[in-house]
Amino acid sequence: PTCPSPRQELARRRGAHSTRTSSAPRNLALASRGGAEMARRKQGRRIKRKTQKETDTSDQASELPPRAFVFSKGKVSAPLKALVNDLKGVMSPNTARALKAQRRNKIKDFVDVAGSLHVSFFLIVSSTEQSSYLRLVRSPRGPTLTFRIRSYALAADLAATLRRPYSAGNAVWQSNPLLVLSDFDQSQQEQSLAATMLRNLFPPINVQTLQISACRRIVMLHQRPAEEGGGVELRQYVIKAAPTNVSRGIKKLTRGNRVPSLGRYGSMADY
């Protein structure tokens, strides 16, 4: 074979060197372009997503009856815990009777779940060294009414004073109570606001569709005059139907479901 001349060998070496040097800037350009794209991705605009659930403010939510949370806050005594249970009965059936607040729970925790459950009121019982208090809170933006508890009587206390205490069945607590507001002065701002808050605490009554059998309870809120110390008095009554203008024997027949014993009577007139 023919050997290349020194001039041809020098030209070949120069061509190989130029090929190697021209490929390096191309790789460098590709690497710098990829780094610029990654930098642009990192510096892109951050999209913030909503994590808080929106409160349903539609017409369907406005047609629902008002609901309330009843719980105690802080350290309270055993009688006040019993008072919380009685208040849950007053607010039934539009409250969670099995609700139990923990010490670590804050008001913000109840506000977060109130929107999804359509709860619009909080009744919070608390106690200090001076006195006990009941706060009526409209969720989520207020207002808040604070009542100082001067005295109270539990349902168990009333049952202990009666010879034959009335035991209310589950059907009594499944119907909304009838609300009676007494002696609230609308000309005074604080009493007008209190009457509006207390009125919105219970569902309104539609007289055209109301069934008499559903009227099982009455909740009366009475504004006491200044001569008697002022304040609002809360009472709850159970409505019980009883026959009138009938004899004692007919009352016994209509009172229970058992068939009476007539063996010692000669006729029905003697019963």
Side-chain angles (χ1 to χ4, degrees):
T2 307
C3 296
S5 62
R7 185 176 298 177
Q8 293 177 352
E9 183 67 19
L10 181 60
R12 185 180 64 81
R13 291 180 179 179
R14 287 179 179 177
H17 179 70
S18 61
T19 304
R20 286 194 299 267
T21 55
S22 61
S23 61
R26 185 181 302 172
N27 296 336
L28 181 61
L30 291 175
S32 62
R33 189 182 305 166
E37 290 179 358
M38 292 178 64
R40 264 197 305 272
R41 290 178 184 176
K42 291 182 179 180
Q43 295 177 1
R45 185 176 179 182
R46 178 173 172 268
I47 300 176
K48 184 177 180 181
R49 292 179 173 84
K50 293 183 179 181
T51 57
Q52 185 179 2
K53 296 182 180 180
E54 297 182 355
T55 304
D56 190 5
T57 57
S58 59
D59 296 337
Q60 183 178 1
S62 62
E63 295 177 356
L64 295 174
R67 299 177 181 177
F69 281 157
V70 184
F71 57 93
S72 60
K73 193 76 173 65
K75 187 177 181 180
V76 296
S77 60
L80 284 178
K81 291 181 180 179
L83 178 62
V84 171
N85 293 329
D86 288 350
L87 287 176
K88 289 180 180 180
V90 173
M91 299 306 301
S92 294
N94 301 317
T95 187
R97 302 198 67 170
L99 177 66
K100 292 183 180 180
Q102 304 294 332
R103 287 188 176 182
R104 62 178 179 271
N105 292 135
K106 299 181 180 180
I107 303 298
K108 184 178 180 298
D109 300 335
F110 295 96
V111 175
D112 292 339
V113 300
S116 58
L117 298 177
H118 305 289
V119 175
S120 53
F121 290 95
F122 298 156
L123 276 76
I124 309 172
V125 177
S126 60
S127 180
T128 61
E129 296 180 356
Q130 287 77 17
S131 181
S132 301
Y133 299 92
L134 172 63
R135 284 183 291 170
L136 176 59
V137 183
R138 179 65 184 264
S139 177
R141 299 180 181 87
T144 300
L145 301 180
T146 303
F147 301 92
R148 186 177 65 180
I149 303 175
R150 295 178 180 176
S151 61
Y152 59 93
L154 301 175
D157 300 334
L158 297 177
T161 60
L162 299 176
R163 182 180 178 184
R164 294 180 180 179
Y166 176 76
S167 180
N170 293 329
V172 175
W173 310 111
Q174 296 303 320
S175 58
N176 296 316
L178 304 178
L179 179 63
V180 176
L181 296 177
S182 174
D183 292 344
F184 281 88
D185 190 0
Q186 298 295 330
S187 61
Q188 298 185 13
Q189 184 178 4
E190 62 277 6
Q191 293 190 21
S192 176
L193 177 60
T196 303
M197 286 276 290
L198 295 172
R199 186 183 300 109
N200 295 332
L201 190 59
F202 298 91
I205 298 175
N206 190 354
V207 181
Q208 298 178 355
T209 60
L210 179 65
Q211 297 181 0
I212 302 300
S213 60
C215 302
R216 306 297 299 272
R217 291 183 295 134
I218 291 179
V219 174
M220 187 187 72
L221 294 163
H222 172 62
Q223 176 66 42
R224 302 179 62 182
E227 295 79 9
E228 299 180 3
V232 179
E233 185 176 3
L234 169 63
R235 290 178 178 269
Q236 180 180 215
Y237 301 93
V238 175
I239 301 176
K240 185 178 180 182
T244 59
N245 298 328
V246 294
S247 62
R248 183 179 179 183
I250 300 299
K251 286 184 179 180
K252 288 183 179 181
L253 288 174
T254 58
R255 184 180 301 171
N257 297 324
R258 295 183 303 175
V259 177
S261 177
L262 303 177
R264 56 179 179 174
Y265 300 103
S267 64
M268 285 293 297
D270 299 334
Y271 178 70

